[in-house]
Amino acid sequence: MSRYAHAPDHPGAGSRAAASGAPRTSGALVVPPGTAEHVPLPHGGGFDLLVDATATGGALGANRLTLGEGADGAGPHHHARSTELFHVLDGTVDFFLDGELVTVGRGGLVVVAPGTPHAFGAAAGDTADLLVVLTPGVDRFDYFRTLGRVQHGLAPFDVLLPQQDRYDVHFLDAADWRAARAAASGGVQRAKARRTS
């Protein structure tokens, strides 16, 4: 079993040092608070890049994702090789799991098997905070950095298309996801209108 690196305890060094081959000093990896690289998203949320697969000998990769009110986290896709785990730390998340919309609140857990189509986003009228773990790990920090640029309009989404195998993120048609999100959002708006009238 490979030994994990210890991430240095200073801002900005944590996950980058671990992922780039920091000395392997123990069988544990520590990413101290405030040291993970942050990739901001335009809705006020962002990715905290906690650990990439290289730092864990391929065992897993992990990030924390915060989403602004009603913001999409990821459109429909699947992973061919990895299982993805989502722990909802706060807020409410709409998950589109193999064609079914499921809403999960704070404390909930979702595990998505390889090959299962899925998408997710903060529920209408709510924000979300998620811990996301992919196992076995795939080095995806560059994917999240690129996604941040795409969402800020600094790069076209098409730059990710040739990288689907590399990142094990295989994009799918988004029409059903968009329709399910619109229907759920409409239901929330109608419920709010009833409460205020």
Side-chain angles (χ1 to χ4, degrees):
M1 181 171 173
S2 67
R3 297 172 70 81
Y4 298 154
H6 174 78
D9 193 11
H10 59 83
S15 57
R16 285 191 297 274
S20 65
R24 299 186 182 277
T25 58
S26 71
L29 181 135
V30 177
V31 181
T35 62
E37 178 183 350
H38 181 74
V39 177
L41 296 175
H43 49 68
F47 294 101
D48 287 334
L49 306 180
L50 298 173
V51 64
D52 225 353
T54 299
T56 65
L60 61 87
N63 69 81
R64 184 172 180 175
L65 173 60
T66 53
L67 297 171
E69 190 173 306
D72 279 352
H77 65 284
H78 78 272
H79 307 291
R81 303 184 302 273
S82 298
T83 295
E84 193 166 25
L85 177 148
F86 300 87
H87 181 211
V88 181
L89 302 173
D90 202 7
T92 309
V93 182
D94 286 337
F95 287 94
F96 195 57
L97 305 169
D98 204 9
E100 181 181 350
L101 191 69
V102 178
T103 301
V104 180
R106 180 181 179 182
L109 183 78
V110 174
V111 178
V112 181
T116 303
H118 61 288
F120 62 94
D126 208 347
T127 60
D129 185 358
L130 301 130
L131 174 66
V132 184
V133 178
L134 197 73
T135 182
V138 174
D139 282 330
R140 296 175 74 204
F141 280 9
D142 282 341
Y143 169 78
F144 295 121
R145 293 176 186 122
T146 303
L147 196 56
R149 290 192 299 276
V150 167
Q151 289 204 8
H152 281 284
L154 302 174
F157 178 79
D158 290 354
V159 301
L160 291 171
L161 297 178
Q163 304 298 323
Q164 293 178 85
D165 286 332
R166 174 184 174 192
Y167 297 127
D168 192 22
V169 178
H170 303 276
F171 305 111
L172 303 169
D173 182 73
D176 290 344
W177 162 241
R178 296 278 170 239
R181 288 278 277 174
S185 177
V188 168
Q189 297 304 322
R190 285 189 295 276
K192 282 183 180 179
R194 282 193 299 272
R195 285 194 302 267
T196 58
S197 57

